[in-house]
Amino acid sequence: MGRKEPEVSTVDEAPGRPMPLASTSEACRLAAVRRYAALETASGAAFDRVAALAARIFHAPFASVTIVGDDTVRVIAAHGLPRRGIVDSLCAAAVRHDGPYVVHDALLDPRSAGHPAVRGEPGIRFFAAALITTPDGEALGSVNVMDVRPREASDEELACLRDLAGLVMDELEVRLATHRTVEVERELRAGAERLARTLQRTLLPPALPRVPGLRAAAAYHPVSADEVGGDFYDLFPLDGDRWGFFLGDVCGKGADAAALTSLVRYTLRAAAVYDADPHAVLANLDAVLQQEHAGGEAPAPYCTAVFGVLQPDGDGFGVTLATGGHPPALAVRANGVVEPIHPAGGQLIGILRDPHFAQVSARLNAGDALLLYTDGLTEARTPSGSMLDEDGLTAYLAAAGPTSADDLLTTVHDLITALGKGVSDDTAILALSVPPATRTPSSGSLGAA
């Protein structure tokens, strides 16, 4: 007969079935059943083979492997039984019997004579069971064989039945160990994810400040929930009405990257207070990273970054940008044109002897927006397998036509979602936009929103 699905049956108080024991020993046994999650154990090839072997050893037509709860029996394997649930109470009786449980002639044995499977179909006359016993001696269930004729069981047959029950217990031990390992790994992963999220939040500003006449928005898209990335961004006030901003990416991931990110972020802010010239800020950061590595044996820490200064100018802002090895910023103009703002050159920060940092000036007019991003976005793979790169991002933004910092974030979020598994690195985004000019009905003049 073919493999049966696991089955839970409620055992009737049929004649021959002893009442459940409300004793300390029975409570311990049921605790063991719960510990091994045995009542939830699905059937498997290992249990099916045990039932088939038991039937073959005894030359018997029927065999089963059962786990017994307080009033519930789960059949986790069955061989040859014509229908489910017919012999469960016989199996339930076995777990409350010390040693092998053998009924030579079920019609003459008071423990089983009144059982429906004995008096009716399939006419069980012989029953033998070996307990599935935990290392601490608690019976979880039994391996059972049944025949339709009265008979004896030899010592060798019973020894084999006990060995089969031991194999079932070994399999349950393996499943318990696996379950515990999975639970521990799940808990460790959950803890790592909580720690990573907490640490990542400390490396990014909790909220961007409000800049008069400007809309700012930022987002961080991690690839892994349990690994700290090295992307960073910030927006902060400088002297007078100027504002500083930066975005970048440090080498590596994990704790080392987090430490380097923290150093880079606070160095950039401190350097800007001392001298807000973007070129000078990056040069100061490079000096700090070079000093951090001096005399050390570890690989030199380095990063890419773009640093900028915003200066209000009429209905827009003047922008001065300096870059060190970072992808170009993209200006999304009010007329829908997308253009890179990228000074020529600009080398990695912290790793070269005499690096060159490039600087450029631009302007954001009313209705314009500026997007800064890390290379996790442009190095993502498209469905065709090619990299998105700056040209692909430019084309996507031009087609989408975002008009504000918030629109830019939504557009990039949609792009990352569409790329799916093609995105293999974290992505940080900082978007700045100048509200479009509006005409006041009373005067007809133009002003910034």
Side-chain angles (χ1 to χ4, degrees):
M1 189 170 177
R3 173 175 168 180
K4 290 181 176 291
E5 293 299 316
E7 171 205 349
V8 175
S9 298
T10 300
V11 180
D12 297 326
E13 295 302 329
R17 178 188 184 273
M19 293 291 289
L21 300 179
S23 64
T24 302
S25 61
E26 177 66 0
C28 292
R29 191 192 72 78
L30 294 174
V33 171
R34 289 189 293 271
R35 183 169 70 251
Y36 282 85
L39 289 178
E40 286 74 42
T41 299
S43 63
F47 300 137
D48 290 339
R49 285 194 293 270
V50 165
L53 281 171
R56 188 181 306 166
I57 289 167
F58 277 77
H59 302 286
F62 311 132
S64 66
V65 180
T66 53
I67 301 297
V68 180
D70 50 359
D71 59 354
T72 307
V73 175
R74 175 171 282 268
V75 179
I76 61 176
H79 176 86
L81 290 171
R83 62 185 178 86
R84 300 177 179 180
I86 61 174
V87 295
D88 293 351
S89 60
L90 289 174
C91 304
V95 300
R96 298 176 178 91
H97 185 276
D98 292 333
Y101 183 81
V102 181
V103 178
H104 300 291
D105 189 338
L107 274 177
L108 302 180
D109 194 309
R111 296 173 296 180
S112 56
H115 195 281
V118 174
R119 301 189 66 84
E121 291 295 329
I124 299 298
R125 298 292 296 274
F126 169 82
F127 179 88
L131 297 182
I132 303 166
T133 306
T134 68
D136 54 355
E138 300 297 344
L140 302 180
S142 57
V143 177
N144 320 285
V145 289
M146 291 144 279
D147 205 338
V148 293
R149 59 188 175 87
R151 53 175 289 184
E152 298 293 324
S154 70
D155 291 341
E156 183 177 357
E157 287 175 326
L158 293 176
C160 289
L161 197 61
R162 286 193 297 270
D163 287 341
L164 291 176
L167 290 176
V168 173
M169 190 66 244
D170 290 344
E171 177 68 15
L172 292 176
E173 286 281 1
V174 169
R175 294 189 182 201
L176 177 62
T178 301
H179 173 75
R180 286 176 173 171
T181 300
V182 169
E183 286 298 311
V184 169
E185 289 179 352
R186 184 180 292 117
E187 291 172 5
L188 289 174
R189 178 174 291 276
E193 290 176 356
R194 286 193 298 270
L195 179 60
R197 287 193 298 268
T198 301
L199 184 54
Q200 195 77 65
R201 284 196 296 268
T202 67
L203 302 175
L204 300 171
L208 295 178
R210 297 179 64 87
V211 179
L214 188 79
R215 173 62 185 165
Y220 180 74
H221 295 268
V223 170
S224 173
D226 60 353
E227 192 170 34
V228 181
D231 296 12
F232 57 90
Y233 58 81
D234 208 348
L235 172 66
F236 55 96
L238 296 170
D239 57 296
D241 55 1
R242 296 193 303 169
W243 292 79
F245 63 94
F246 57 78
L247 179 139
D249 186 6
V250 307
C251 61
K253 288 186 177 294
D256 291 341
L260 182 57
T261 300
S262 181
L263 173 65
V264 168
R265 183 167 177 257
Y266 289 105
T267 298
L268 286 171
R269 291 193 66 143
V273 171
Y274 175 74
D275 184 351
D277 177 72
H279 186 283
V281 169
L282 294 188
N284 276 322
L285 174 60
D286 179 77
V288 169
L289 294 185
Q290 296 274 3
Q291 184 180 13
E292 187 76 8
H293 177 63
E297 296 181 358
Y302 65 92
C303 70
T304 69
V306 55
F307 184 92
V309 173
L310 290 164
Q311 174 74 57
D313 181 13
D315 62 351
F317 283 81
V319 182
T320 305
L321 288 176
T323 63
H326 202 80
L330 294 176
V332 182
R333 300 302 182 182
N335 62 3
V337 174
V338 181
E339 60 185 55
I341 300 181
H342 195 212
Q347 297 173 315
L348 288 174
I349 304 169
I351 199 171
L352 302 175
R353 184 179 297 274
D354 294 306
H356 171 72
F357 304 122
Q359 186 165 306
V360 68
S361 295
R363 175 177 167 78
L364 291 180
N365 296 309
D368 291 345
L370 184 68
L371 177 69
L372 283 73
Y373 54 91
T374 53
D375 60 9
L377 180 58
T378 50
E379 291 182 359
R381 297 285 174 177
T382 65
S384 67
S386 61
M387 281 201 309
L388 177 67
D389 66 35
E390 285 83 7
D391 290 340
L393 177 59
T394 298
Y396 187 86
L397 294 178
T403 58
S404 68
D406 294 310
D407 289 340
L408 274 173
L409 251 63
T410 300
T411 299
V412 174
H413 172 79
D414 292 343
L415 174 58
I416 290 174
T417 301
L419 292 171
K421 293 183 179 179
V423 181
S424 60
D425 196 6
D426 300 344
T427 300
I429 308 160
L430 177 62
L432 309 170
S433 65
V434 181
T438 57
R439 184 180 299 275
T440 14
S442 57
S443 63
S445 60
L446 294 177

